[in-house]
């Protein structure tokens, strides 16, 4: 049986059993309506024309999650500058989130300033395949989905419950995604905003001369670097 066929049979079984297939890059981010700490939200409508970041938390009143929510709240201005809305999800209800909020403010010094979805029925967690039963069959892993203005998934990250996410990395990859969406470039290992970038191989040297007026260095036929075009 070919791989593709096997996957579609497995997908069909998953659907029949009420499970969901993993979300892949380029897929349309599933839409949903849910209660949040900022009222009822229908995801696509709430996103509007913005970029979006949806991230999961295993459970309320847990230590790593408390630090992460404070860290996302502290960086809200960086997401706003990048026309990006952030929204968290945790498999407890909104009433529980409301009680948890004061602990986040008290211990992390930043009050929750974005919606946190109440997902006690795990609707969103299941829709986004955030529960990995071989890791834990009730709590979500720490998933991150970055969604473009076209509602398509641009990045997925999965961390275990025991590892808090790195906000610098999330902002860094958002910068890379927004840059590469607008210019014919890719970003090298460990790139951060302002560093040189790579010209994609579909651009000829001739076209690169006009597209990248700051010039480029040709280290190999397939490896050409240029200053970041929007700086
Ligand atoms: C935490 O946020 O600290 C946590 C949550 C669930 C399992 C383990 C740790």
């Amino acid at each position: 049986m070919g791989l593709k066929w096997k996957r579609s049979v497995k997908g069909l079984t998953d659907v029949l059993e009420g499970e969901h297939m993993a979300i892949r890059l380029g897929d349309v981010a599933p839409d949903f309506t849910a209660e949040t700490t900022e009222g009822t939200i229908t995801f696509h409508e709430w996103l509007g024309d913005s970029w979006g970041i949806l991230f999961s938390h295993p459970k309320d009143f847990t230590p790593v999650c408390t630090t992460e929510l404070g860290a996302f709240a502290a960086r809200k201005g960086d997401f706003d500058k990048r026309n990006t809305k952030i929204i968290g999800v945790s498999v407890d209800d909104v009433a529980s989130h409301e009680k948890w909020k004061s602990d986040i403010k008290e211990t992390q010094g930043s009050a929750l300033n974005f919606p946190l979805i109440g997902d006690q029925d795990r609707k969103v967690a299941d829709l986004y395949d955030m529960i990995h039963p071989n890791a834990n069959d009730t709590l979500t892993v720490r998933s991150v989905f970055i969604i473009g203005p076209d509602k398509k998934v641009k990045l997925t990250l999965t961390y275990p419950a025991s590892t808090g996410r790195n906000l610098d990395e999330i902002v860094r990859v958002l910068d890379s995604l927004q840059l590469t969406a607008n210019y014919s470039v890719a970003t090298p290992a460990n790139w951060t905003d302002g560093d040189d970038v790579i010209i994609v191989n579909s651009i000829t040297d001739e076209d690169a001369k006009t597209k990248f007026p700051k010039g480029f260095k040709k280290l190999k036929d397939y490896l050409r670097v240029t200053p970041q075009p929007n700086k």
Side-chain angles (χ1 to χ4, degrees), residues 58-59 62-65 139 142 161-162:
K59 199 163 175 47
T62 50
V64 178
C65 295
L139 308 179
R142 298 185 193 281
S162 50

Side-chain angles (χ1 to χ4, degrees), residues 19-79:
E19 290 179 27
H20 295 270
M21 288 175 67
I23 292 169
R24 294 171 163 186
L25 302 191
D27 291 354
V28 172
D31 197 15
F32 57 83
T33 298
E35 297 308 312
T36 81
T37 48
E38 297 188 7
T40 308
I41 280 178
T42 298
F43 190 46
H44 283 194
E45 186 185 281
W46 176 79
L47 283 171
D49 296 329
S50 302
W51 287 70
I53 304 184
L54 170 69
F55 49 98
S56 59
H57 293 280
K59 199 163 175 47
D60 289 9
F61 299 100
T62 50
V64 178
C65 295
T66 304
T67 63
E68 284 189 319
L69 284 172
F72 272 99
R75 298 296 292 267
K76 173 83 166 25
D78 288 325
F79 295 116

Side-chain angles (χ1 to χ4, degrees), residues 16 66 77 92 96 112 116 122 194 206-207 225 228:
L16 290 174
T66 304
D92 290 296
S96 163
L112 200 69
L116 185 57
R122 298 188 207 147
E206 214 40 46
D207 288 345
V225 294
Q228 187 172 321

Side-chain angles (χ1 to χ4, degrees), residues 77-93:
D78 288 325
F79 295 116
D80 288 345
K81 266 192 248 162
R82 291 163 175 80
N83 186 31
T84 301
K85 292 186 174 178
I86 59 175
I87 186 165
V89 54
S90 179
V91 292
D92 290 296
D93 61 20

